[in-house]
Amino acid sequence: MKVERISASSLELFDNCQFKYYLERILKHKFPENIKGICGNIVHKVLEILARYNKNRCVSRRRHKHPEDILKITLAHYSRKYPLLSIMDYESFCNEMLQNALKSGYGASVLNGDIIGIEKVFWFALSKNGTVLFITDKEPPKGDYILVNGFIDLVNKIDNDTLWITDWKTVKTRPSRHFDKWQARIYEIAARLMYPEYNNIVLHFVYLQLGKIDPVLYSKSDHDNNMQTIAAKAKEISSIKMPGRNKGWLCNFCDRKVCESEYNVILNQHLFG
């Protein structure tokens, strides 16, 4: 499979089911929207707006809106965007996750922290041997390299030597270790490239449905290993000629008719050319 661009979500998708990766990332098949996923987007948007209020110091009574008010406005916006889904029925579910975020110690990073980055978009180019060629906040042209894309929910300055990165998780599933997960590795690489003046980078994955927080601390010695690991994974994906199917929990969100028909097509191509 040809690999030109990867992200944490695409690598996790490949690990869960190679064929779903093929359908989504190679054939660009669009799967139906998942209501819980949209709720996650809504909560992320509200936290982003609150963080921007803080960063821009919009804290007067006249200008600052209550979090619940921002949530209602955001729910209404997404209801218009997805008119066939009953998004307003999930207001209490979204509000519960929002309150869990604000009541946690990490809520202070949204409302009162020294914010230096919100929804920080990044693109970095990785050579085949695992060397970063450049990093930018705009999508660069394709070239003889692998593009790695992502965005960081929130970046706070703790002191002159330390960054605090927060990622809000609205899913129920929680890995046993974040240290060797793709998102943590990619965040570490991007953060060190965007903020080279900071020696210490602490990542926190905050699970809003579970009330759990997973901290991850990388040392500078992990930087090269993370780059080489991601380059090796991209090489592995590009070497796949017949993607395998893993019929697991992801199939609950998959259009099985598309899966079956496309799988038969590619199987015939693989077997008979």
Side-chain angles (χ1 to χ4, degrees):
M1 290 188 287
K2 189 176 181 180
V3 179
E4 295 178 338
R5 186 174 94 177
I6 59 176
S7 64
S9 60
S10 70
L11 295 181
E12 290 167 6
L13 179 60
F14 178 84
D15 286 343
N16 279 299
C17 180
Q18 294 179 6
F19 196 70
K20 191 163 192 290
Y21 173 92
Y22 172 76
L23 289 176
E24 281 194 12
R25 307 301 167 129
I26 306 299
L27 296 186
K28 307 299 182 183
H29 177 74
K30 299 293 184 182
F31 288 90
E33 295 286 351
N34 175 265
I35 186 66
K36 293 295 180 69
I38 294 174
C39 288
N41 293 339
I42 289 169
V43 175
H44 272 85
K45 176 56 68 174
V46 174
L47 290 168
E48 176 192 346
I49 293 170
L50 288 170
R52 293 194 187 280
Y53 269 123
N54 173 33
K55 189 173 187 295
N56 296 327
R57 299 295 185 243
C58 299
V59 295
S60 70
R61 289 180 181 271
R62 182 171 59 86
R63 297 182 66 187
H64 185 61
K65 291 184 179 294
H66 198 273
E68 284 82 356
D69 295 332
I70 297 175
L71 175 60
K72 289 181 183 295
I73 294 170
T74 308
L75 281 164
H77 169 77
Y78 276 81
S79 292
R80 292 190 294 270
K81 186 175 181 181
Y82 301 100
L84 299 180
L85 299 177
S86 302
I87 290 176
M88 296 304 294
D89 293 345
Y90 289 82
E91 180 175 356
S92 60
F93 174 70
C94 293
N95 189 50
E96 181 180 353
M97 288 194 290
L98 175 61
Q99 295 306 320
N100 285 343
L102 298 178
K103 289 176 183 177
S104 71
Y106 300 88
S109 63
V110 173
L111 299 176
N112 303 303
D114 188 356
I115 297 173
I116 62 174
I118 302 168
E119 297 291 317
K120 190 71 176 178
V121 177
F122 61 83
W123 298 79
F124 62 82
L126 203 60
S127 68
K128 294 178 181 178
N129 64 359
T131 302
V132 172
L133 303 176
F134 60 85
I135 187 167
T136 178
D137 60 356
K138 300 287 191 302
E139 182 174 1
K142 296 177 183 179
D144 189 23
Y145 43 69
I146 303 158
L147 286 175
V148 184
N149 169 237
F151 62 89
I152 299 174
D153 289 342
L154 191 65
V155 184
N156 290 84
K157 174 183 175 182
I158 301 302
D159 54 45
N160 291 333
D161 210 36
T162 307
L163 281 185
W164 178 329
I165 290 176
T166 302
D167 186 74
W168 309 106
K169 294 292 185 187
T170 56
V171 296
K172 283 187 176 180
T173 53
R174 179 185 176 213
S176 57
R177 273 169 55 91
H178 268 288
F179 184 84
D180 49 8
K181 293 299 178 182
W182 297 118
Q183 187 176 21
R185 290 183 186 276
I186 289 173
Y187 275 19
E188 185 275 331
I189 296 170
R192 290 205 186 279
L193 294 171
M194 291 188 290
Y195 308 104
E197 66 272 28
Y198 294 92
N199 290 318
N200 304 315
I201 297 175
V202 185
L203 289 76
H204 293 89
F205 296 91
V206 185
Y207 287 83
L208 301 181
Q209 287 196 63
L210 303 175
K212 303 291 185 180
I213 299 167
D214 290 337
V216 181
L217 175 62
Y218 284 113
S219 67
K220 281 192 170 181
S221 62
D222 296 309
H223 187 65
D224 289 341
N225 179 61
N226 284 337
M227 291 190 295
Q228 291 166 9
T229 300
I230 291 171
K233 190 66 177 181
K235 185 177 180 180
E236 176 192 344
I237 296 173
S238 65
S239 70
I240 298 293
K241 294 182 179 179
M242 181 62 199
R245 284 195 297 181
N246 176 26
K247 294 187 178 182
W249 67 271
L250 276 176
C251 294
N252 295 327
F253 309 102
C254 181
D255 185 340
R256 295 174 189 239
K257 292 181 180 179
V258 173
C259 184
E260 293 296 336
S261 63
E262 290 295 344
Y263 190 77
N264 289 332
V265 169
I266 193 173
L267 180 61
N268 287 328
Q269 290 175 345
H270 178 70
L271 293 176
F272 306 112

